[in-house]
Amino acid sequence: MDIRVGNGFDVHGFTEGDSVILCGVRIPFDKSLDGHSDADVGFHAVTDALLGAIAAGDIGHWFPPSDDTWRGADSGHFLKIAAAHVREAGFRIANIDCTIICELPRIKPHIEEMCEHVARVAGIARQRVSVKATTTEGLGFPGRGEGIAAMATATVARP
């Protein structure tokens, strides 16, 4: 069996707005995330992890911010394409684990919906997805309330 692991990381700063989108879930908040697409750091990190697991480059290669095609795009589209690349390479997604790093908004009330959304978009069973949240105890840019980061690990396998 060929088992591979990929990692992903993303960060976006805050801008004016009324909600953030994390792992495809809109969370009411007094700010939004600034980015070329919808700035969903969770989906971006997971997309990078899947692409990394099959050595297929990164999100910037496939969906460059210099391409206006992706301006304001739903990052679920990026994840769906990355999952398709995994399958086209002969692999199945065994596990996705994503950690959201921020002080606010509170993530815990939205975890289950995020897990379900990641699973649905990636085309895998819910029990193969974990989304967690942590703070930086007031340190660094997330601790100062300047933005949100996410890191993800994806495991893929083929017989």
Side-chain angles (χ1 to χ4, degrees):
M1 180 169 271
D2 188 0
I3 299 173
R4 299 184 188 185
V5 176
N7 294 302
F9 179 81
D10 194 45
V11 59
H12 285 278
F14 285 127
T15 190
E16 292 182 17
D18 61 3
S19 62
V20 296
I21 300 171
L22 298 170
C23 293
V25 177
R26 184 174 297 278
I27 300 171
F29 190 53
D30 63 354
K31 299 173 183 143
S32 292
L33 290 171
D34 189 21
H36 185 70
S37 65
D38 63 7
D40 185 332
V41 294
F43 271 179
H44 292 182
V46 170
T47 298
D48 260 349
L50 287 172
L51 292 170
I54 59 168
D58 62 20
I59 195 170
H61 169 78
W62 291 96
F63 313 104
S66 59
D67 185 344
D68 279 342
T69 303
W70 310 117
R71 181 169 302 284
D74 176 345
S75 296
H77 184 69
F78 305 157
L79 176 53
K80 190 176 289 190
I81 290 172
H85 286 308
V86 169
R87 287 188 286 280
E88 289 165 6
F91 289 87
R92 67 175 178 78
I93 301 169
N95 176 262
I96 293 172
D97 182 36
C98 181
T99 302
I100 307 294
I101 306 162
C102 64
E103 301 294 322
L104 291 172
R106 297 287 178 215
I107 304 303
K108 187 175 180 180
H110 308 281
I111 293 285
E112 185 55 35
E113 186 179 3
M114 289 180 185
C115 289
E116 291 172 2
H117 204 72
V118 170
R120 184 172 50 255
V121 173
I124 61 175
R126 160 62 188 91
Q127 64 266 27
R128 295 189 176 276
V129 175
S130 172
V131 176
K132 309 176 301 293
T134 192
T135 69
T136 60
E137 303 294 330
L139 301 173
F141 80 91
R144 291 187 301 268
E146 296 172 8
I148 298 178
M151 58 186 204
T153 302
T155 306
V156 300
R158 76 174 160 200

